[in-house]
Amino acid sequence: MTDYEAVILDVDGTIVRGEALLPAVTDGLRALEAAGCSRLLFSNNPTRGADHYGEKLAPHGIDVDPNAVLTSATVSAEYLAATHPNERVYLVGGERLEAILADAAVELTTDPDAAEVVLGSFDRDFSFGTLWESLRALKGNVPFYGTDPDATIPIDDGEIPGSGAILAAMAAVAGREADAILGKPSSISAAAAMDRLDTDPRNVLVVGDRLNTDIELGNRAGMETALVLTGVTDRADLAETDADTEPDHVLESLAAVDTLL
């Protein structure tokens, strides 16, 4: 019988890559269910809300409760609504994130000179003009947040630039780093996850493919961690990791999680 009461599962690079389900993932999910682990899916994808993952995984026979899904977009929306009510947020991000923020009653502005808060994220239309406007929005001590630190995003045939790359450009022109990253591995995201799971962090297993987000999230919060090698991290990366991002376990894939149960 496992000591784990709950599991936090990354999605991209752990359950799916692009639109394809990773091999034998359903075996791992069934093993976790048989062990009695509550399940929370947590993606750093800043372009999707909770409903998306139910729709994405249902064709593969995986049932997903929207209340058991977090994304960096939903965490960011909840945080900004709670901590910056009625303040105008200038967003560098896509239309899907804009809609998620608006649904959470976050006030948005397209005028960089009216910005009271700045949020940086993944933006396929990021350009010199966007960066110039970001410089204007980030004047003075305007609070500056990022949805997630992922410099790249895995897709079917490789990787594309992610939020972290855009945040780096914004930080460079502003001459300062973001005040906080709201998605994994932040304490903000850990608190959001624990609110959903309602259990002791010591009884939680975090499974993901990124050392600096999934594994660091678990390590910071006192959870047990397992790295899967189906995403952006390989064994060569493990040789260079530090104590903050060293996983407790390394698995070839989520299919092998039964070895920990």
Side-chain angles (χ1 to χ4, degrees):
M1 200 61 181
T2 179
D3 290 332
Y4 307 128
E5 294 179 0
V7 60
I8 297 173
L9 296 174
D10 178 49
V11 182
D12 300 295
T14 301
I15 297 175
V16 297
R17 188 175 184 99
E19 296 302 316
L21 195 69
L22 288 163
V25 157
T26 51
D27 293 341
L29 295 175
R30 280 194 292 266
L32 289 164
E33 185 176 356
C37 292
S38 300
R39 184 177 74 194
L40 176 71
L41 301 187
F42 197 161
S43 170
N44 253 4
N45 187 336
T47 70
R48 299 294 189 179
D51 290 341
H52 167 74
Y53 288 99
E55 297 167 2
K56 184 169 187 171
L57 297 176
H60 301 291
I62 301 172
D63 184 39
V64 176
D65 178 358
N67 293 319
V69 179
L70 289 175
T71 72
S72 63
T74 60
V75 170
S76 296
E78 290 172 7
Y79 179 82
L80 292 176
T83 60
H84 296 280
N86 304 316
E87 293 185 49
R88 296 183 295 273
V89 176
Y90 178 80
L91 170 67
V92 176
E95 291 180 356
R96 289 173 181 160
L97 176 57
E98 182 178 344
I100 291 168
L101 293 168
D103 285 346
V106 174
E107 185 176 348
L108 297 168
T109 181
T110 58
D111 180 1
D113 297 316
E116 295 171 290
V117 180
V118 175
L119 178 65
S121 188
F122 174 74
D123 184 1
R124 288 184 181 274
D125 297 323
F126 189 73
S127 65
F128 178 84
T130 309
L131 192 58
W132 190 358
E133 288 194 351
S134 300
L135 178 59
R136 289 163 55 191
L138 286 166
K139 62 185 180 297
N141 294 317
V142 172
F144 175 24
Y145 300 111
T147 55
D148 65 280
D150 295 359
T152 60
I153 301 168
I155 58 173
D156 291 327
D157 57 354
E159 296 177 313
I160 58 173
S163 303
I166 291 171
L167 286 169
M170 294 172 68
V173 297
R176 62 183 175 112
E177 298 296 319
D179 298 312
I181 298 297
L182 304 179
K184 296 181 290 186
S186 72
S187 59
I188 294 163
S189 65
M194 296 315 301
D195 283 346
R196 298 294 177 94
L197 292 171
D198 192 25
T199 190
D200 191 312
R202 292 172 295 182
N203 298 326
V204 177
L205 175 67
V206 181
V207 184
D209 70 309
R210 288 183 183 267
L211 292 166
N212 69 331
T213 55
D214 305 309
I215 303 307
E216 191 167 339
L217 169 76
N219 289 351
R220 287 183 184 182
M223 305 169 187
E224 196 155 333
T225 58
L227 177 80
V228 291
L229 301 176
T230 47
V232 299
T233 305
D234 58 25
R235 292 194 181 277
D237 297 319
L238 283 172
E240 301 174 0
T241 190
D242 57 33
D244 289 339
T245 56
E246 185 175 349
D248 296 305
H249 310 280
V250 179
L251 303 174
E252 291 298 327
S253 75
L254 181 58
V257 74
D258 62 327
T259 61
L260 307 182
L261 304 177

